[in-house]
Amino acid sequence: MSGGGRGGGMKVLHVAEKPSVAKSVATILSRNNGGLRTREGRSRYNKIFEFSYSINGRPCHMLVTSVTGHLMELEFQDRYRKWHSCDPADLFHAPVHKFVPEDKLDIKRTLEEEARWCQWLVLWLDCDREGENIAFEVIEVCTAVNPHITIKRAHFSALIDREIHEAVQRLVEPNKCFADAVDARQEIDLRIGASFTRFQTMLLRDAFVIDFTTDDRNLVLSYGPCQFPTLGFVVERYWEIQAHEPEEFWTINCSHKSDEGIATFNWMRGHLFDYTCAVIIYEMCVQEPIATVTKVRQQEKLKYPPYPLNTIELEKRASRFFRMSSEHTMKVAEDLYQAGFISYPRTETDSFSQRTDLHAIVQEQQRHPVWGPYAQQLLEPGSGLWRNPGNGGHDDKAHPPIHPTKFSSGESGWSQDHHRLYELVVRHFLACVSQPAVGAETNVEIDIAGELFSASGRAILAKNYLDVYRFESWGSSTIPTYVSGQQFVPTSLTLDSGVTRPPPLLSEADLLSCMDKEGIGTDATMHDHIKKLLDRFYATKDSNMRFSPTNLGEALVMGYDDMGYKLWKPYLRAVMERDMKAVSEGTKSKAEVLTTSLQQMKACFVDARLNKVKLFEAMAVFFERSNRSGGDEQHAAGEVVRPCGLCQESDMVLRRNRDGNFMVGCMGYPQCRNAVWLPGSLSEAVVTTNICNTCTPGPVYMIQFKFRPLEIPPNYNANHLGCIGGCDEILRQLIEICGTGSRIPARGRGSSAPASNVQQSNSRHGEARHSACIHCHQTGHSSSDCPSQVSGSRSARRRGMNPQSGELSVPCSTCGTPCILRTANTANNRGRKFYSCQSQECNFFVWEDNLNNVTGGNAQRGRTSVSASNTSRSGDRGRGGRGGSRAATATATFVSATGEPVTGRRCFVCGDPSHFANVCPNRGS
DNA sequence: GCAAGGTC
């Protein structure tokens, strides 16, 4: 028995979600009620606190302990645990059960031991759906040993005295609806995750040469309702970049130098894509280059400090300021939290409760050698530096924003990242309670020949919070003084060119924002999903902390996209979230949601499997087929031809492979790889009821073959009743003459055409005969061919980036990598083909029509001036020597109105710094 | 060997 020295009264067992909450609750409740005793439970992390207390006037002996998050896990029954134990589609209805995993058994035993002698069980789990679900796990364990225990739920929104005392006097019933919502979520996640993961892993892993080093582990191509949409964000941005078509634009810049300094005036039209227009306007300005100041405006601008820090912001800022991964940030934050230096790091809350003693937190930091003086200044009423923190609008009702809880000037065991993160938390907190920075901005507008230009300068009047928040800056710049009506001659007036740039790859902070916006994962799990992309070789992170998909990640997304499925989009999760909400509000039952949602997902799964050729094709764009043959095709049932003589366990069936070639393979694949490949010239093959009377083991059913007459020698009959058992000499000869379809030619990325899929479509239609289209519920076609479905993004992506069919390829003149032909989809150039370099590092770009001939073709487009564009980085690798080299319509007048050479800019057509693109001799028209 | 969610 545990305990000892117990006081009298009713015995009440309190269980919190984590040890820290148990400690806080016990400390608060015991404060004025005599001694708080602590003793060990069976788990070393989860202590038991004991003290006396009165609940509604009734004296109680209180025991407060904790779990560590979920106590139980959901798993398939043993019979379904092994990957080859069942068809993955069975996982949508295979029995599942909840159990306490090995590492939680200690906690379970503590609960059992303590619950046995208590009359009440009070649940202090976090007040959210997961917390309610954990509450029911605790109830299950406790009532198993003490069926008569009275169950109560404490509702609290913060770990502060008043809340906790009130909660314990106003106990309520636990909410089964909340718990049910989580049960449904868990079951759906498990079933979808396991089925799709097994399916795509078994289908693709052995079928292609995927050469990622996996330190002895088998490569797993996992699917999950959070990880896949996360991958989707990465791939989508990558495609956006790939499909970006650089467009040349023109802008007029003006500068003015006086005794007081330089002002740079920007054209208020921004930039124009129409070269002719830009030139005309520019000529006007040059001919009458007198600037008149039309407006001088001065105003005060404030730059506000950030909101109080929550988990996502902590991760984003640590990534931006220190290039720390979100996963590492959370690990370091957890260390700091465990050691008591910062508050709980997993919180959505970004506003402080009115009751938080913010001054006390600042006070502690006054001792710090670096930011201590700032903290002191903050507390001086005369400084006027203090400001009550802003409210970010989020509150998880369980935890305050992340803030320092203990002073430290650095501990000996801290790594550099521990120092940095603690400093970030402290400085962020100090910034939150500081006045905004104040700046004086001057805006000057001028008029040159009717065109408006503007320049601005800023002087920082008070840095305020920026003094302590060294991670942010606010630039100041001075410009000469101008007065309205003043006239001057610009020092320079230039017509400059530029090209539109694609958006950058997603940074970790961007990715977190996407996930946050679309509800993918929780603040406590987002970093896990990001890490999973890297662990699964779906994405990589470059030295700038930006994410690109790997070939594997891109192929998987592309495969599902080509099926017309949004499995890689956040919608699925959004639908689930809506269902969960309905369950938690009691408007839908758990069973109802599970039934419909699993039914839909299973239909989707079955359809995806019928369309697996899309996944194969997408993979084939990037990977070579392995000679380990084609994956998980054992589920494509066919007609039985004979018992397998090799494994002597399964039948051999007639099938067509993904390229439409016939083969007879063992049902026991992949354990048994016995196969007979049939001639490539076959157009039809049907198993008959005729049995061969020579071949063994039998029965060996004969096959009615129909060959394509033009593909076999004239002395052979196109129709042939044959046997695959080895007795058929004609079949043997035709196999020798025509070959078989057992090898699919290897394809590098975009180097040759995808195999014709006409025959696969036929076979797919055949399979689809038995299953209704998921979209329109009609038979006769599969969802990917459903006429009711038009996938916008899919077709956009196709227009943008599908590898071409292999007839043309140009080497990149910058880096030599073969360029892929794409089709532009921007307003000015829709349908126009261009080549661009595949390499991320290289920005090579050229229009296809400029490669061959410059004449005509583009006249229908508004913009006719640009032939080959090339970004400034490509330097001298333009299309020199090719094309019309038509003389520019004007000369160097256009470079600078004052005749001054302009440095640091070069022609983006040929890279020559001596002229701009508008006068480039290499430009076409 | 599969998910995502708690938390140590």
Side-chain angles (χ1 to χ4, degrees):
Chain A
M1 270 304 280
S2 49
R6 289 163 201 137
M10 181 170 69
K11 294 175 182 61
V12 183
L13 175 61
H14 303 263
V15 182
E17 188 158 322
K18 40 190 162 281
S20 64
V21 173
K23 188 174 184 186
S24 300
V25 168
T27 306
I28 290 169
L29 292 181
S30 67
R31 199 161 285 151
N32 300 312
N33 295 285
L36 172 67
R37 297 179 300 283
T38 307
R39 71 181 154 87
E40 295 292 321
R42 288 194 172 256
S43 147
R44 52 188 280 242
Y45 301 110
N46 307 84
K47 313 281 182 211
I48 304 165
F49 304 95
E50 289 187 82
F51 55 96
S52 300
Y53 192 81
S54 285
I55 300 179
N56 298 322
R58 195 168 166 184
C60 296
H61 178 83
M62 312 278 268
L63 290 112
V64 185
T65 187
S66 55
V67 288
T68 43
H70 276 286
L71 193 54
M72 296 180 171
E73 278 175 21
L74 192 67
E75 188 47 283
F76 291 107
Q77 230 176 43
D78 277 353
R79 134 111 182 69
Y80 297 90
R81 295 275 279 277
K82 284 215 160 58
W83 278 40
H84 285 98
S85 65
C86 65
D87 181 336
D90 295 345
L91 297 177
F92 285 94
H93 49 75
V96 289
H97 65 278
K98 271 195 175 186
F99 72 106
V100 179
E102 200 69 34
D103 61 333
K104 298 289 175 72
L105 285 176
D106 284 343
I107 298 174
K108 179 176 181 245
R109 281 193 203 109
T110 303
L111 291 178
E112 286 170 342
E113 285 170 5
E114 304 302 332
R116 228 171 242 137
W117 59 284
C118 286
Q119 284 93 61
W120 276 24
L121 169 64
V122 180
L123 302 151
W124 289 85
L125 288 306
D126 292 357
C127 294
D128 52 27
R129 292 202 300 242
E130 295 294 335
E132 212 67 16
N133 189 271
I134 301 171
F136 278 86
E137 294 174 354
V138 172
I139 291 170
E140 191 180 321
V141 167
C142 293
T143 53
V145 295
N146 183 353
H148 303 298
I149 198 163
T150 300
I151 294 157
K152 295 287 175 192
R153 176 76 158 106
H155 263 177
F156 56 106
S157 59
L159 290 170
I160 49 176
D161 289 30
R162 199 169 62 98
E163 283 280 334
I164 300 302
H165 282 289
E166 271 178 22
V168 79
Q169 302 299 341
R170 271 195 229 150
L171 297 172
V172 295
E173 300 301 311
N175 184 342
K176 188 75 170 80
C177 291
F178 270 43
D180 279 352
V182 172
D183 279 345
R185 199 258 318 140
Q186 287 177 342
E187 196 173 324
I188 293 169
D189 283 347
L190 175 65
R191 293 184 187 281
I192 294 177
S195 56
F196 274 93
T197 299
R198 289 185 193 180
F199 159 67
Q200 65 186 24
T201 303
M202 295 194 289
L203 179 70
L204 303 172
R205 185 182 58 199
D206 293 330
F208 294 92
V209 182
I210 308 171
D211 50 357
F212 294 112
T213 45
T214 54
D215 51 38
D216 287 347
R217 283 174 303 133
N218 263 339
L219 184 72
V220 172
L221 308 186
S222 64
Y223 177 89
C226 285
Q227 53 178 276
F228 241 61
T230 306
L231 172 62
F233 294 130
V234 174
V235 173
E236 204 160 36
R237 172 58 63 91
Y238 180 74
W239 283 348
E240 210 179 325
I241 295 168
Q242 298 255 302
H244 176 79
E245 172 211 324
E247 288 218 63
E248 190 179 31
F249 61 76
W250 302 90
T251 189
I252 304 174
N253 286 307
C254 167
S255 74
H256 178 227
K257 195 171 171 184
S258 77
D259 301 343
E260 292 179 76
I262 289 187
T264 303
F265 289 88
N266 297 314
W267 196 17
M268 287 180 73
R269 288 181 196 267
H271 52 248
L272 292 185
F273 289 101
D274 190 315
Y275 173 64
T276 316
C277 259
V279 168
I280 290 169
I281 296 170
Y282 179 65
E283 277 187 315
M284 274 165 35
C285 295
V286 170
Q287 279 165 14
E288 204 183 328
I290 302 292
T292 308
V293 178
T294 55
K295 205 184 279 178
V296 178
R297 195 178 56 218
Q298 288 193 317
Q299 61 184 148
E300 197 177 89
K301 279 275 168 71
L302 299 179
K303 182 176 169 66
Y304 280 93
Y307 292 124
L309 196 58
N310 64 15
T311 305
I312 296 173
E313 276 305 313
L314 176 74
E315 290 173 353
K316 285 192 198 171
R317 284 167 194 262
S319 170
R320 283 210 305 269
F321 303 155
F322 315 131
R323 304 165 81 87
M324 282 167 67
S325 75
S326 51
E327 194 239 348
H328 183 57
T329 296
M330 290 313 289
K331 206 164 163 293
V332 174
E334 182 67 26
D335 288 346
L336 294 173
Y337 163 66
Q338 293 294 338
F341 293 105
I342 65 171
S343 63
Y344 191 68
R346 287 180 286 275
T347 175
E348 292 171 35
T349 311
D350 53 12
S351 61
F352 279 104
S353 144
Q354 295 292 327
R355 288 162 292 204
T356 312
D357 190 349
L358 301 170
H359 284 87
I361 303 170
V362 178
Q363 240 150 25
E364 272 214 327
Q365 298 296 335
Q366 291 182 104
R367 294 146 58 197
H368 196 275
V370 180
W371 57 73
Y374 185 88
Q376 280 167 29
Q377 202 194 341
L378 204 46
L379 292 172
E380 282 164 25
S383 74
L385 188 54
W386 182 276
R387 164 185 162 274
N388 285 330
N391 182 335
H394 301 90
D395 189 353
D396 63 14
K397 306 278 187 198
H399 305 287
I402 303 166
H403 63 273
T405 49
K406 188 162 76 181
F407 172 80
S408 174
S409 53
E411 307 294 313
S412 57
W414 282 6
S415 70
Q416 187 191 26
D417 288 339
H418 287 80
H419 281 101
R420 285 166 159 178
L421 212 63
Y422 181 73
E423 180 182 349
L424 171 59
V425 170
V426 175
R427 288 187 186 268
H428 193 101
F429 175 79
L430 296 175
C432 284
V433 293
S434 299
Q435 289 289 343
V438 187
E441 285 192 3
T442 307
N443 205 280
V444 180
E445 276 178 37
I446 56 169
D447 177 319
I448 303 174
E451 285 302 301
L452 297 180
F453 298 79
S454 76
S456 60
R458 184 192 298 131
I460 308 295
L461 301 180
K463 284 184 78 178
N464 293 333
Y465 91 90
L466 287 174
D467 276 328
V468 72
Y469 208 56
R470 64 176 182 84
F471 318 109
E472 280 181 1
S473 61
W474 204 26
S476 66
S477 56
T478 52
I479 55 170
T481 313
Y482 292 95
V483 291
S484 201
Q486 175 186 343
Q487 290 198 320
F488 60 86
V489 178
T491 313
S492 74
L493 190 59
T494 55
L495 179 62
D496 296 332
S497 65
V499 279
T500 57
R501 309 279 303 170
L505 288 165
L506 288 182
S507 68
E508 188 142 6
D510 296 335
L511 197 47
L512 287 163
S513 298
C514 292
M515 297 171 76
D516 187 29
K517 182 162 162 275
E518 301 291 346
I520 300 300
T522 67
D523 51 340
T525 60
M526 284 179 188
H527 65 270
D528 284 333
H529 302 311
I530 295 176
K531 181 162 183 289
K532 185 146 280 176
L533 297 191
L534 304 174
D535 289 347
R536 296 288 190 218
F537 307 103
Y538 288 168
T540 53
K541 185 156 74 167
D542 64 25
S543 54
N544 291 320
M545 306 281 288
R546 289 183 183 273
F547 290 84
S548 321
T550 60
N551 288 343
L552 180 59
E554 188 180 356
L556 289 173
V557 171
M558 197 191 268
Y560 286 111
D561 191 47
D562 285 346
M563 289 181 201
Y565 281 136
K566 301 296 179 212
L567 288 169
W568 53 281
K569 288 282 210 174
Y571 314 138
L572 177 64
R573 199 73 190 162
V575 170
M576 269 169 71
E577 184 53 39
R578 273 201 294 279
D579 280 343
M580 297 311 100
K581 195 153 188 290
V583 174
S584 66
E585 286 166 351
T587 53
K588 278 189 188 174
S589 74
K590 171 170 90 175
E592 192 183 336
V593 164
L594 276 173
T595 308
T596 52
S597 156
L598 289 175
Q599 214 165 38
Q600 283 165 5
M601 280 313 296
K602 186 175 179 180
C604 178
F605 176 86
V606 170
D607 202 72
R609 196 159 64 184
L610 286 175
N611 280 306
K612 65 189 176 200
V613 64
K614 301 284 187 193
L615 277 171
F616 264 97
E617 284 172 358
M619 286 290 286
V621 172
F622 303 102
F623 298 97
E624 288 198 18
R625 286 298 297 261
S626 78
N627 51 15
R628 288 169 291 176
S629 184
D632 167 60
E633 308 218 24
Q634 77 271 31
H635 293 299
E639 292 168 283
V640 174
V641 179
R642 69 176 302 181
C644 178
L646 186 62
C647 68
Q648 300 189 345
E649 278 182 358
S650 305
D651 287 332
M652 297 187 73
V653 294
L654 175 67
R655 286 194 289 234
R656 302 179 86 157
N657 78 344
R658 56 186 297 277
D659 288 339
N661 296 305
F662 287 93
M663 56 95 71
V664 176
C666 180
M667 292 267 278
Y669 181 90
Q671 282 77 23
C672 176
R673 295 173 181 269
N674 193 9
V676 177
W677 289 90
L678 297 169
S681 50
L682 261 181
S683 66
E684 273 177 40
V686 178
V687 181
T688 67
T689 50
N690 303 327
I691 295 172
C692 172
N693 49 24
T694 51
C695 294
T696 55
V700 182
Y701 293 98
M702 298 185 74
I703 297 175
Q704 183 66 52
F705 297 110
K706 189 171 177 181
F707 297 98
R708 283 183 284 271
L710 295 178
E711 296 179 25
I712 55 172
N715 52 329
Y716 286 84
N717 196 326
N719 291 297
H720 170 67
L721 180 67
C723 173
I724 57 115
C727 65
D728 188 339
E729 182 57 22
I730 292 175
L731 183 62
R732 195 194 61 74
Q733 287 169 8
L734 282 173
I735 287 172
E736 206 172 282
I737 294 164
C738 309
T740 69
S742 70
R743 287 288 179 274
I744 293 138
R747 263 171 292 171
R749 183 175 180 169
S751 62
S752 78
S756 154
N757 62 1
V758 175
Q759 288 162 317
Q760 292 131 36
S761 317
N762 290 342
S763 88
R764 218 171 53 232
H765 282 245
E767 286 173 300
R769 216 177 290 135
H770 305 290
S771 114
C773 167
I774 191 171
H775 300 305
C776 71
H777 305 293
Q778 285 180 9
T779 52
H781 65 255
S782 69
S783 65
S784 67
D785 303 321
C786 178
S788 75
Q789 296 295 306
V790 177
S791 166
S793 82
R794 178 170 151 226
S795 41
R797 198 256 303 156
R798 286 210 153 152
R799 278 196 304 276
M801 63 92 40
N802 248 11
Q804 56 138 335
S805 9
E807 65 279 316
L808 274 173
S809 160
V810 296
C812 171
S813 63
T814 305
C815 68
T817 313
C819 292
I820 280 181
L821 182 63
R822 304 210 173 90
T823 309
N825 189 30
T826 55
N828 284 339
N829 290 293
R830 191 153 287 134
R832 194 174 175 193
K833 302 246 189 276
F834 65 91
Y835 288 95
S836 74
C837 185
Q838 286 295 89
S839 163
Q840 270 294 304
E841 306 306 315
C842 175
N843 288 305
F844 175 76
F845 171 91
V846 62
W847 292 112
E848 183 208 31
D849 45 23
N850 286 320
L851 268 184
N852 310 320
N853 197 332
V854 220
T855 51
N858 301 330
Q860 79 280 12
R861 283 181 280 272
R863 189 165 62 94
T864 57
S865 58
V866 180
S867 61
S869 339
N870 201 336
T871 65
S872 53
R873 288 179 53 191
S874 323
D876 57 355
R877 300 164 199 92
R879 306 271 72 75
R882 172 208 48 79
S885 343
R886 204 171 294 177
T889 49
T891 57
T893 328
F894 286 137
V895 174
S896 164
T898 57
E900 282 185 5
V902 183
T903 53
R905 300 190 64 94
R906 48 179 60 207
C907 170
F908 82 81
V909 172
C910 72
D912 190 332
S914 69
H915 63 259
F916 281 171
N918 59 322
V919 293
C920 177
N922 293 321
R923 70 179 294 131
S925 63

